[in-house]
């Protein structure tokens, strides 16, 4: 991808001194910077994350992330060695074919057509509105003649972070795959008949729309909170959930890439997800799609400690490992990378004991396209991610089934998780 080869050239070839300087007084507060910061431990990475830098890649000796001018100053004040450069200078144009990514209208219209075509098993509804008043669309997929709530449930969430466009495509094509194979594929037919499946491909429509309106793309991460009379600052929706909200690994400065918001669930988007999940106690399993780095992450993110409940820990580990084998993605506890507070999966597991995973999809690195890989990769990424999605749907009746071979004596019957306790 042309853009990324420019980025790689920047880091590899240009003299270090060129990136050492802080932004000039003419830099806009909106300017996004790519930073490469020296850090070799998770504690250092957590400090960087707490300053409000969004860490995208973790290496043995450094991280690559994005931030705003204020965070560059903070990094300097804290003594971190870093290189940085502003994006606008390098984002001149994007590869042809990116039009195959769905914009909002295309996504909504295709979801609506699918719901009409497969009305016996699919229902499209809005779980709420974004800060700019856009609907947050959700597809419910379940076998005919169910009123809801009587089967084990699973929820897939896409695109909390605006610029992570593949994380909309994967859940959208998951919807399509499930619906188109109902009555044709024996396993999928059974899953749809026996589960209640909810898929929200785009939790952050405002941010995504802003990101792709006009080129070059804006590398926008957050929602569009603050628009109107005030300056847009945006809240990082994956720091706004209400379990251990306000801890390390989230920005407190509204300008930061990982701004947690003024309070837990301050944003309509996270509120809508919360309300939906809390009114569906049959949800046992959750997968939140992000990009990029090719990782499969499980709680905790807020602490280096492991999940205390050994059986629940083993379920997460076993599932992550299996899904890792299917995809080639690396399974690990979220905080092995760096601590975050207020993310989706800490809340869904911590508050509701829902087995919860974050996927960091393709590519592995910023050098392979980062947030903006060419659209030609979409179908391969989708294909790679169908098996783990089906696997989770399969085990959503009783996730403890995955550890029966590991610890036969620890086996819990379905009645331990099903029917679920009221939330
Ligand atoms: O930082 C995030 O919200 C996620 N990464 S992303 O590049 N998509 O922004 C990862 C969250 C995982 N949690 C922790 N590392 N604690
Ligand atoms: Zn993300």
């Amino acid at each position: 991808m042309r853009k990324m080869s420019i980025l790689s050239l920047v880091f590899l070839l240009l003299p270090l001194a060129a990136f050492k300087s802080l932004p000039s007084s003419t830099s806009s507060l909106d300017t996004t910077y790519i930073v490469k910061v020296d850090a070799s431990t998770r504690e250092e990475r957590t400090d960087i994350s707490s300053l409000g830098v969004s860490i995208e890649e973790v290496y043995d000796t450094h991280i690559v992330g994005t931030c705003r001018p204020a965070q560059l100053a903070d990094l300097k004040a804290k003594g971190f060695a870093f290189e940085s450069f502003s994006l606008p200078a390098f984002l001149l144009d994007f590869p042809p074919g990116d039009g195959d990514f769905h914009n909002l209208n295309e996504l909504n219209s295709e979801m609506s057509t699918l719901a009409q075509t497969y009305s016996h098993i699919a229902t499209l509804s809005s779980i709420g509105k974004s800060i700019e008043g856009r609907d947050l669309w959700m597809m419910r997929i379940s076998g005919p003649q169910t009123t809801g709530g009587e089967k084990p449930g699973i929820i897939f969430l896409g695109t909390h972070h605006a610029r992570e466009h593949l994380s909309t495509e994967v859940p959208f094509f998951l919807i399509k795959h499930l619906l188109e194979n109902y009555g044709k594929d024996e396993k999928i037919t059974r899953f749809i008949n026996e589960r209640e499946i909810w898929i929200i491909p785009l939790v952050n429509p405002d941010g995504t729309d802003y990101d792709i309106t006009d080129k070059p793309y804006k590398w926008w991460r957050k929602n569009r909170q603050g628009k109107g009379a005030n300056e847009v600052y945006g809240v990082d929706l994956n720091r706004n959930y209400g379990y251990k909200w306000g801890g390390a690994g989230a920005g407190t400065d509204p300008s930061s890439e990982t701004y947690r918001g003024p309070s837990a669930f301050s944003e309509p988007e996270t509120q809508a997800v919360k309300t939906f999940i809390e009114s569906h106690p049959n949800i046992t399993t959750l997968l939140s799609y992000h990009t990029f780095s090719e990782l499969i992450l499980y709680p905790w993110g807020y602490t280096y400690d492991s999940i205390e409940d050994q059986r629940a820990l083993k379920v997460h580990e076993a599932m992550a490992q299996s899904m890792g084998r299917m995809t080639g993605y690396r399974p690990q506890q979220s905080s092995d990378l760096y601590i975050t507070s207020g993310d989706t999966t800490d809340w869904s597991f911590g508050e509701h004991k829902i087995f919860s995973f974050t996927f960091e999809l393709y590519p592995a690195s910023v050098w392979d396209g980062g947030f903006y890989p060419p659209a030609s990769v979409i179908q391969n990424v989708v294909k790679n991610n169908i098996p783990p999605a089906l696997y989770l749907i399969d085990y959503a009746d009783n996730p403890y089934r995955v550890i029966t071979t590991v610890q036969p004596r620890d086996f819990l019957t379905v009645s331990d998780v099903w029917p679920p306790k009221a939330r």
Side-chain angles (χ1 to χ4, degrees), residues 22-70:
L22 290 177
S24 74
S25 55
T26 55
S27 293
S28 154
L29 285 176
D30 259 359
T31 305
T32 301
Y33 286 79
I34 296 235
V35 281
K36 175 174 176 250
V37 188
D38 289 356
S40 50
T41 64
R42 62 186 185 182
E43 287 78 10
E44 285 176 317
R45 294 192 291 266
T46 296
D47 286 347
I48 294 167
S49 162
S50 297
L51 290 179
V53 175
S54 154
I55 297 177
E56 307 305 338
E57 286 179 66
V58 170
Y59 296 96
D60 287 347
T61 55
H62 65 275
I63 65 97
V64 176
T66 63
C67 70
R68 305 278 158 154

Side-chain angles (χ1 to χ4, degrees), residues 56 160-161 164 221 238 289-291 360:
E56 307 305 338
H160 279 72
H161 291 144
E164 299 174 6
R221 170 179 171 92
N238 210 30
Y289 293 106
H290 286 252
T291 75
E360 297 280 8

Side-chain angles (χ1 to χ4, degrees), residues 21 26 38 52 87 93 103 166 183 225 265 279 307 355 375 392 407:
S21 58
T26 55
D38 289 356
L87 281 172
D93 117 50
N103 66 27
L166 271 177
Q225 181 63 269
F265 292 117
S279 55
I307 292 170
F355 292 87
L392 285 182
Q407 284 196 317

